[in-house]
Amino acid sequence: MWKANLNYNSAFKPCHSSTQGSTFYHSVLCKALTSKVKINNQEVEVEIDTGATLSLMHSETFSRLFPNQRLTKSSAQLSGISAPINLKEISNIEVTIPGGKPHKLQLYVCDNYKKFTPLLGRDWLDVLVPEWRSRLWPSDPGTVTPKILAGDIDEDKIVDLLETKFQKNFTIDGTQTIEGFEARIILKPNAVPVFHKAYPVPFALRAMLDEKIDSLVKDKIYSVSV
């Protein structure tokens, strides 16, 4: 989604590199979208993160890139998985994206987690690429909630569409069996089968029960053992 929309605008040029893992920012299930931006005339690779409220950099990265810049304690509050995040900040830092104009923005820096790729969060995106939200959901500008979640789509039509596309999954035929599947029953060591006398069936229900059993045998759900 991001790659298609951002290439269309040419605001960002995605590049691929190995990203350092972080306990609270990176997913192992999908590749991060990264881009080169200029921060105070230094080219920095950042991860574009629409899930991040603030744009964030690790203190080691900041010290290496901007050794003469002074940080101040931040009043902003963020929490990681295991603990609060110690934040410092710097204001009026100049940020420029490819083909864009420079903007004076605020950068947040943390030091109590292992190093990670700097994050370009929603606070910077709203300034650098103001139309990014409407690009994600062009049918509903200014919001990041799909209409299907907002209840604006006819649920019956969605169900009909799914039933048409996946007919086998919506069958009401109770005689279908699962084929090619091997099940395992794990027993305790030295387990011994237990046999019980059959429960007595009321006389008035016997004909109905026999009919049901015959039906299950016919459908090969039950089998007759001799």
Side-chain angles (χ1 to χ4, degrees):
M1 176 73 74
W2 258 117
K3 186 173 181 180
N5 282 300
L6 291 177
N7 276 345
Y8 175 85
N9 190 38
S10 297
F12 289 98
K13 295 179 181 178
C15 58
H16 302 287
S17 67
S18 58
T19 57
Q20 296 86 353
S22 168
T23 55
F24 59 105
Y25 289 114
H26 294 283
S27 169
V28 298
L29 300 179
C30 60
K31 182 179 290 186
L33 175 61
T34 60
S35 179
K36 300 283 188 180
V37 300
K38 279 192 174 181
I39 303 177
N40 278 5
N41 291 320
Q42 288 267 28
E43 192 173 66
V44 181
E45 183 177 1
V46 297
E47 177 180 341
I48 301 167
D49 188 352
T50 60
T53 305
L54 305 175
S55 296
L56 194 66
M57 182 179 289
H58 194 275
S59 58
E60 289 186 24
T61 306
F62 182 86
S63 298
R64 176 175 54 82
L65 294 173
F66 314 109
N68 299 321
Q69 296 284 348
R70 184 179 177 184
L71 294 168
T72 59
K73 187 174 181 180
S74 177
S75 60
Q77 295 182 345
L78 291 177
S79 295
I81 291 177
S82 56
I85 301 171
N86 299 328
L87 285 181
K88 293 183 179 181
E89 63 184 53
I90 181 170
S91 301
N92 295 322
I93 197 162
E94 190 174 272
V95 181
T96 310
I97 61 175
K101 298 184 297 184
H103 292 272
K104 297 289 186 179
L105 300 173
Q106 192 155 328
L107 175 65
Y108 294 86
V109 178
C110 75
D111 60 5
N112 59 329
Y113 281 90
K114 62 184 179 179
K115 285 183 64 176
F116 55 90
T117 301
L119 301 179
L120 195 160
R122 296 195 300 271
D123 56 340
W124 284 15
L125 280 172
D126 286 338
V127 177
L128 300 172
V129 191
E131 72 279 8
W132 73 271
R133 297 174 187 267
S134 59
R135 287 290 178 93
L136 279 176
W137 302 109
S139 60
D140 196 8
T143 176
V144 293
T145 304
K147 283 194 170 185
I148 190 171
L149 296 182
D152 295 335
I153 291 180
D154 189 335
E155 293 183 4
D156 291 335
K157 289 183 178 179
I158 296 175
V159 173
D160 291 342
L161 178 64
L162 293 174
E163 287 182 343
T164 302
K165 190 171 183 179
F166 306 103
Q167 292 183 13
K168 288 182 64 177
N169 298 62
F170 287 88
T171 179
I172 57 173
D173 182 5
T175 64
Q176 284 190 330
T177 58
I178 300 175
E179 298 180 1
F181 179 82
E182 183 177 322
R184 292 190 303 164
I185 300 177
I186 301 176
L187 303 176
K188 293 182 178 180
N190 302 319
V192 178
V194 177
F195 295 92
H196 285 285
K197 182 181 178 181
Y199 290 103
V201 178
F203 183 80
L205 299 178
R206 289 182 182 179
M208 185 186 302
L209 180 61
D210 288 342
E211 183 179 345
K212 182 62 177 178
I213 292 175
D214 290 341
S215 174
L216 293 172
V217 171
K218 181 180 178 182
D219 293 334
K220 299 181 178 180
I221 296 174
Y222 281 6
S223 59
V224 178
S225 59
V226 180

